[in-house]
Amino acid sequence: MQSQNNHPPAQPGTQAQVRHAYALFKQGRYPEAMEAYERILASHPEMERRLRVNIHIAKKRIQNGIRTRQTLARDDKELSNAVFVGMAAIPDRVAALEASICSLLPQAERIGVYLNGWEQIPSFLQHEKIIVAGMGEPDIGDVGKFHWVDDHDGYYFTCDDDLIYPPDYIARTLAKLRHYHGNAAVGWHGSVLMEPFARYYDTNSRKVFLFGSHRPHDTAVHILGTGCCAFHTQVMQVRKADFTAPNMADIFFALNGQKQKIPFYVIEHEKGAIREAPGTKESSIYADSHQNKSTRKNTHELQNQLVRSNAPWLLHEFQPLSILIIGRFNSFQKGGIYKSCHLIQEHLSNLGHHVSVLDTQHALVLPESAHFDLCWIYPGDPERPDFATVVEKIRSLQKRGIPVLVNLSYLYQEKRTTWIRDRILECNAGQSTPVLCAVFTESAAHDPLLADVRDYVCVVPKTIEPPACTKVRGFGEREGVCLGDATKLSNPKIIGGPVHAWIDAIFRKMPYVNLYAFKQYQGDNPHSRVQYVPHMKEEFGDWLGQRRLFLCLNIHTTFEMVSCEAQYCGTPVLYRHMPHSLSEYISTTGMAVRNPEEMAEMVTWLYNDPAAWERCSRSSLRNAESKHVDVLDASLEGYLRLAVQRARRLTKPATSTSDQRC
């Protein structure tokens, strides 16, 4: 029978080139792999469809820098607690300056005052806590607030000479910085730039959150008012030389934050907590710029230019996550969990997240300063040896206040689902730090048996990186039907009963077809009609790509990875309803059947109808490409952010019943 494949078959020499390119790809030599793929496409552009996923991955990993990650040194170091306040002052505000200094002096360690255009130092600045600069120097305007920043190691506050601060201003602002683990700049006044942006002082271009108005919650902003803000010099690198023009420190400080991807927050505060000194409004930079006066303080047009030329402006509220993964990193290397744990680590790290890993077999020992947004525990089935210490590790993490997301191997089986529900209830009873349960689909998350713990159930996408398939073969180049793993076929708990009825039904309809199963583990051969082959490590993808159909008879497993891998090879898949796995990941790009007779009927049809087979093969390929971990890693990040958000929402005040067992 003639192949109905839309792509002409590649020549043997081209296949050798593809194998060579893929070998480079698997070795992580992505620039070389890209060159090899480009050479292939130059002479065989028809192969673009076949190679595009690997080309996409190679480009992405070259861009990101494979096995590198954004270094989050600020998460790993002990931050200095030294506090310094920088302020710039003009002579017209001597009374306001005195009131401002008086409000800050009892709560500040050191205050630096840069005097712009003063002829003498006021007597109230002659204090052991106060450093004075600027006398006899050029007037540098509000840049004077940052005169000492190059030499300070610690928390740096910038204040204005026309503001009177509440008695707990520094303590409250420091508390917010520490709430964000130092990874932010915070203030009491700021703004968000609106789109489309026209002019900086146009109310349609900028939403301003005033220091004098009530702010009920922390609000992410693009720009902080440097008259009442603070940051840590080990987190945000700021130099006096960054401020290349006077009287627009807010913009230069914001540009610095944008470049370094530092989140800016206007923190929650009450109305009138910071007060403006009487009689100072008319001498402000805002007044001259807003009214477009012809003065040195009017920097309106330059601010407009800088805002426009540095678009787009982003809110960096969502910082890289700090994740601890406890899984199969050294032990139990044979199987999907080991591969998934390494893929999760690799992709989260490449996305810039701070990832620490621990093998399930190793003791949990964390330094006292360790901070994690979440610990993801990914062991084997609860009946497997590496699950033995999971409960102990969960209790230890809860004591440290670290939320836990744990895979409990949901199987679409009532006994296991009830066990999962009971474990989650017990783990969270009387505990302030939540334990969440991970599943792979929303259908599983909405199992009625999990209704009592619905808020604690989180979806995380399965990490799928298929085996090598150097050639997507057409209908006429394939034969036989693959039934998956022989060990699973022989397990009635996985099949939901004996497998014989399914195999016999297929054989009755198609006694001429070869039925295959691969043997990844030792065990009995479940049916005499099946041919058993060893599970090939390197050639497995090409072997799958030579089979005409893939059948999944399993229903009570946590995930059926090989079915998804078969689609990647262009092999159509028939499966049984698996709401926790294939019903969402394959869905209608394959076909779900309900009994042996339906399976036999669909196998017979697809196996003998090349036109229908070709269409199913195409949809299988496109679906598989969309499920590749390199395509879905942003979804992986998104679902982990959801888990972190849910954990924060579910965190409760500490209770005295901390000895509850889970």
Side-chain angles (χ1 to χ4, degrees):
M1 188 173 292
Q2 291 294 320
S3 168
Q4 300 296 312
N5 191 5
N6 289 339
H7 303 306
Q11 298 300 315
T14 307
Q15 287 306 314
Q17 288 179 288
V18 172
R19 285 193 292 271
H20 174 66
Y22 188 77
L24 295 171
F25 179 88
K26 291 301 289 182
Q27 293 167 21
R29 296 159 64 180
Y30 299 105
E32 297 170 72
M34 272 301 303
E35 291 177 5
Y37 284 131
E38 288 168 359
R39 286 194 295 270
I40 295 168
L41 293 180
S43 54
H44 294 279
E46 73 278 0
M47 296 188 69
E48 191 275 337
R49 177 88 172 84
R50 185 183 307 172
L51 303 176
R52 69 180 185 183
V53 170
N54 280 8
I55 290 172
H56 166 78
I57 295 167
K59 286 180 178 178
K60 184 175 180 180
R61 293 186 178 179
I62 291 169
Q63 181 179 359
N64 290 348
I66 189 63
R67 300 195 185 281
T68 63
R69 62 179 172 86
Q70 179 179 332
T71 302
L72 301 176
R74 56 183 181 265
D75 282 343
D76 299 329
K77 65 171 65 173
E78 290 292 333
L79 297 180
S80 166
N81 288 317
V83 176
F84 188 91
V85 177
M87 181 184 291
I90 58 176
D92 293 350
R93 295 180 177 172
V94 60
L97 173 63
E98 183 173 12
S100 182
I101 290 292
C102 285
S103 70
L104 289 168
L105 202 56
Q107 49 184 316
E109 297 174 10
R110 298 285 281 172
I111 301 176
V113 182
Y114 194 95
L115 298 174
N116 284 304
W118 292 67
E119 295 182 357
Q120 61 181 12
I121 300 174
S123 59
F124 59 83
L125 294 183
Q126 296 173 8
H127 192 282
E128 60 183 6
K129 287 186 177 183
I130 298 175
I131 306 170
V132 175
M135 295 295 293
E137 300 292 330
D139 184 340
I140 58 175
D142 59 1
V143 179
K145 303 174 196 177
F146 296 91
H147 179 71
W148 299 269
V149 73
D150 292 18
D151 300 319
H152 183 66
D153 179 17
Y155 295 101
Y156 197 94
F157 283 68
T158 53
C159 294
D160 274 353
D161 60 350
D162 60 343
L163 298 182
I164 301 171
Y165 299 87
D168 59 352
Y169 170 72
I170 288 180
R172 287 174 63 182
T173 309
L174 279 177
K176 280 296 182 181
L177 277 171
R178 288 166 180 154
H179 169 75
Y180 293 111
H181 304 286
N183 297 331
V186 303
W188 294 49
H189 182 100
S191 58
V192 174
L193 298 169
M194 311 293 282
E195 295 178 347
F197 176 85
R199 301 178 69 80
Y200 190 73
Y201 290 101
D202 185 334
T203 56
N204 292 321
S205 294
R206 196 164 58 104
K207 173 66 175 176
V208 182
F209 304 99
L210 300 169
F211 65 82
S213 299
H214 175 54
R215 181 96 306 263
H217 48 75
D218 295 0
T219 304
V221 295
H222 294 126
I223 299 171
L224 282 172
T226 54
C228 46
C229 82
F231 61 97
H232 201 288
T233 59
Q234 291 177 343
V235 176
M236 186 172 174
Q237 305 300 311
V238 180
R239 296 290 177 265
K240 184 181 177 183
D242 297 335
F243 302 84
T244 55
N247 301 323
M248 46 191 301
D250 294 3
I251 293 289
F252 286 119
F253 186 71
L255 288 172
N256 212 325
Q258 288 287 302
K259 180 180 178 181
Q260 297 179 45
K261 299 183 178 179
I262 303 293
F264 282 16
Y265 295 100
V266 172
I267 64 175
E268 58 179 323
H269 60 264
E270 305 79 21
K271 180 179 180 179
I274 296 178
R275 295 178 290 113
E276 192 169 36
T280 58
K281 188 180 292 291
E282 290 305 314
S283 61
S284 67
I285 296 169
Y286 169 82
D288 283 19
S289 296
H290 184 256
Q291 298 170 28
N292 205 20
K293 294 181 179 179
S294 298
T295 68
R296 185 170 178 268
K297 294 178 184 175
N298 181 3
T299 54
H300 189 182
E301 288 305 322
L302 185 54
Q303 290 181 78
N304 291 337
Q305 178 184 337
L306 283 173
V307 169
R308 292 193 196 102
S309 61
N310 286 279
W313 286 71
L314 304 176
L315 295 173
H316 296 290
E317 182 177 3
F318 294 97
Q319 288 290 284
L321 297 170
S322 182
I323 303 288
L324 170 63
I325 305 173
I326 301 176
R328 292 180 172 180
F329 289 98
N330 305 111
S331 58
F332 302 99
Q333 298 182 15
K334 199 173 184 180
I337 295 176
Y338 176 85
K339 181 178 180 181
S340 288
C341 287
H342 283 271
L343 283 173
I344 293 164
Q345 177 194 13
E346 176 187 326
H347 280 264
L348 291 178
S349 295
N350 290 341
L351 290 170
H353 302 288
H354 182 64
V355 181
S356 301
V357 301
L358 177 73
D359 192 83
T360 50
Q361 300 289 82
H362 297 167
L364 176 63
V365 180
L366 298 176
E368 284 299 317
S369 60
H371 160 73
F372 296 103
D373 296 302
L374 190 72
C375 174
W376 185 357
I377 304 181
Y378 197 163
D381 186 272
E383 298 175 0
R384 298 288 293 161
D386 66 326
F387 195 88
T389 63
V390 166
V391 171
E392 176 187 342
K393 288 181 169 71
I394 287 174
R395 286 171 28 212
S396 177
L397 290 160
Q398 284 183 298
K399 289 178 181 177
R400 291 286 301 270
I402 299 171
V404 176
L405 176 69
V406 58
N407 287 47
L408 294 174
S409 299
Y410 178 94
L411 297 173
Y412 186 46
Q413 197 260 359
E414 183 175 348
K415 182 178 179 182
R416 174 61 59 82
T417 307
T418 302
W419 179 86
I420 290 172
R421 178 200 62 199
D422 293 345
R423 296 293 78 71
I424 294 299
L425 287 171
E426 290 175 11
C427 283
N428 288 288
Q431 298 292 328
S432 59
T433 303
V435 175
L436 312 173
C437 173
V439 294
F440 294 126
T441 69
E442 276 294 337
S443 297
H446 287 270
D447 187 319
L449 291 175
L450 295 176
D452 292 343
V453 293
R454 180 85 68 243
D455 289 346
Y456 293 85
V457 181
C458 297
V459 175
V460 286
K462 183 65 174 174
T463 45
I464 302 173
E465 186 180 60
C469 181
T470 57
K471 179 183 179 182
V472 178
R473 291 169 169 80
F475 179 88
E477 300 174 273
R478 299 169 180 251
E479 67 81 28
V481 175
C482 180
L483 302 174
D485 188 327
T487 305
K488 292 179 180 178
L489 288 176
S490 65
N491 189 338
K493 291 182 179 179
I494 290 176
I495 303 296
V499 75
H500 292 74
W502 297 86
I503 296 176
D504 289 343
I506 296 167
F507 189 77
R508 281 195 300 270
K509 292 281 289 186
M510 302 179 65
Y512 51 85
V513 74
N514 288 321
L515 304 178
Y516 298 98
F518 54 85
K519 298 201 69 169
Q520 187 170 8
Y521 304 98
Q522 295 298 319
D524 296 334
N525 298 337
H527 201 288
S528 60
R529 301 291 187 186
V530 178
Q531 300 180 40
Y532 298 96
V533 298
H535 181 66
M536 302 133 283
K537 187 174 182 181
E538 299 298 333
E539 301 82 13
F540 185 59
D542 281 326
W543 184 84
L544 274 178
Q546 294 174 40
R547 309 285 75 82
R548 194 170 291 176
L549 297 175
F550 186 93
L551 312 186
C552 181
L553 303 179
N554 312 323
I555 52 174
H556 299 307
T557 57
T558 55
F559 199 85
E560 279 302 320
M561 179 72 77
V562 183
S563 303
C564 299
E565 294 175 344
Q567 280 204 316
Y568 187 82
C569 303
T571 307
V573 175
L574 302 175
Y575 64 96
R576 298 170 66 190
H577 181 52
M578 295 185 74
H580 57 301
S581 178
L582 301 186
S583 297
E584 285 195 14
Y585 282 77
I586 288 182
S587 186
T588 53
T589 62
M591 277 168 279
V593 301
R594 299 178 183 176
N595 55 58
E597 289 70 30
E598 287 187 358
M599 180 69 83
E601 189 74 14
M602 291 298 99
V603 169
T604 306
W605 167 59
L606 270 183
Y607 200 88
N608 292 286
D609 188 330
W613 185 94
E614 287 287 354
R615 294 195 299 273
C616 287
S617 178
R618 286 198 299 272
S619 67
S620 297
L621 281 166
R622 293 183 182 181
N623 182 62
E625 290 170 2
S626 72
K627 301 301 188 295
H628 196 292
V629 62
D630 276 85
V631 178
L632 278 186
D633 56 6
S635 293
L636 174 65
E637 174 185 348
Y639 275 109
L640 285 179
R641 289 193 182 278
L642 274 175
V644 170
Q645 193 274 337
R646 287 172 185 160
R648 288 172 179 164
R649 176 170 55 85
L650 292 166
T651 298
K652 297 172 286 191
T655 67
S656 59
T657 56
S658 60
D659 59 344
Q660 293 281 339
R661 297 187 64 83
C662 61

